[in-house]
Amino acid sequence: MLGRKADIRIGGDFSTVPADKYTVQIADVNFKTLFNKWKNQEEEMLNFQYVVLNEKPMPETEDGKDAGTTRGRFIWHKVSQSLSTKSWLMKLAKAVYGRDLTKEELDPKSPKFFDPEKLIGKQVDIMVTEDPNKDNTAMFNNVVSYSKTVKPLEPLPLTKTGQTVIESETKPAVAEVDVPNLNPGLDNFLDDLEKDKEETKTEDPEETEDQEEEAEEEESLEELEAKLKLAKAKAKEAKAKKK
């Protein structure tokens, strides 16, 4: 028994936007916990929400109806809380500000230390792809690059739409607590995002695995493979010396 009336909300339109370059407004940023398979541990990410400002036509629906334009559509991108050279957060910050971060912005002890919430409301250009999930049952948008907005567009009011959520996906070996499902449609959508590791049904489903390596890891897979080969070579050499 629920014990109270369920607050059931109707899900929004999460259809993908065509692969293209868009000027977007940073609408929000929230925390999201994901299991990082490369580090084999949970990691708290920053989930940025973007709203498209371009008036580009959307493809017609399957029944031939006009789907409107891309303006007002949402795209999400989850990034690690890292300001390393190759991290997505650094790429985003540099694109928004159009410059490298200062020493003060990179100093955790400085009052001018970088604050991701200060990016809210600002505009940035993004390049997105449109990719299918593993079983080709859904399409997702993935952010593949950021760049400085040269010509800002008319902004949209930053209002809560009911589509921004703070959720956590974990993979613990302990019993889970049952929580009432208040939005099954959105939950299924978010589940698909995590299964395919790619940033949205307009939500970016988390980037492709290649993007995840670059954005969320301090070391690339190639670097890890190189280290593994080196370790094997050293072990083989050590074994030969013992003989």
Side-chain angles (χ1 to χ4, degrees):
M1 298 294 290
L2 293 177
R4 62 180 178 82
K5 185 177 180 180
D7 180 19
I8 299 176
R9 299 179 293 275
I10 304 299
D13 181 2
F14 293 102
S15 58
T16 56
V17 297
D20 205 341
K21 183 178 181 180
Y22 297 96
T23 295
V24 299
Q25 181 177 352
I26 302 175
D28 202 1
V29 59
N30 290 300
F31 289 112
K32 181 179 178 66
T33 301
L34 297 176
F35 184 81
N36 189 317
K37 67 179 182 180
W38 304 103
K39 296 179 180 178
N40 195 35
Q41 64 184 30
E42 291 182 356
E43 183 176 5
E44 193 171 52
M45 313 285 289
L46 294 176
N47 191 19
F48 283 92
Q49 180 190 30
Y50 306 124
V51 57
V52 178
L53 300 179
N54 306 85
E55 288 276 5
K56 297 184 179 183
M58 286 286 291
E60 290 185 348
T61 61
E62 293 183 359
D63 55 4
K65 293 183 179 180
D66 183 6
T69 71
T70 56
R71 185 173 173 85
R73 301 272 175 169
F74 291 109
I75 295 173
W76 283 262
H77 193 187
K78 288 176 281 293
V79 304
S80 64
Q81 297 185 64
S82 170
L83 284 174
S84 61
T85 304
K86 296 182 179 180
S87 72
W88 276 112
L89 185 58
M90 178 67 84
K91 292 176 182 178
L92 172 59
K94 291 173 67 174
V96 170
Y97 293 129
R99 59 172 174 78
D100 292 332
L101 296 185
T102 65
K103 291 183 178 180
E104 290 78 10
E105 290 170 330
L106 292 173
D107 182 1
K109 297 180 180 179
S110 171
K112 295 183 179 180
F113 182 56
F114 175 78
D115 181 359
E117 285 194 305
K118 290 185 178 180
L119 299 182
I120 295 175
K122 298 186 182 298
Q123 296 186 24
V124 67
D125 286 358
I126 65 174
M127 182 70 74
V128 301
T129 59
E130 195 175 15
D131 306 300
N133 60 3
K134 293 181 180 178
D135 56 6
N136 292 310
T137 58
M139 296 293 292
F140 300 103
N141 282 134
N142 295 291
V143 175
V144 295
S145 70
Y146 288 106
S147 59
K148 172 75 175 173
T149 296
V150 177
K151 186 178 181 181
L153 300 179
E154 182 67 26
L156 289 168
L158 297 181
T159 58
K160 295 297 182 181
T161 63
Q163 296 187 57
T164 303
V165 294
I166 303 175
E167 74 281 4
S168 172
E169 176 180 308
T170 60
K171 297 182 180 179
V174 296
E176 299 180 353
V177 178
D178 292 329
V179 179
N181 187 350
L182 303 182
N183 195 342
L186 181 58
D187 287 344
N188 292 336
F189 171 73
L190 292 172
D191 287 342
D192 286 339
L193 302 186
E194 304 314 326
K195 291 178 182 178
D196 297 292
K197 298 291 181 185
E198 296 179 348
E199 217 228 298
T200 64
K201 208 164 184 179
T202 261
E203 173 175 4
D204 176 89
E206 169 61 38
E207 307 117 13
T208 61
E209 290 187 0
D210 287 341
Q211 293 170 335
E212 180 179 326
E213 287 184 60
E214 180 181 4
E216 301 165 14
E217 308 305 320
E218 294 301 326
E219 298 178 304
S220 67
L221 179 58
E222 288 76 14
E223 290 172 332
L224 293 175
E225 290 176 342
K227 287 185 177 181
L228 179 59
K229 289 181 180 179
L230 180 61
K232 289 182 178 179
K234 289 183 177 180
K236 185 176 181 180
E237 182 179 353
K239 186 176 181 180
K241 289 181 178 179
K242 288 183 179 180
K243 291 182 179 181

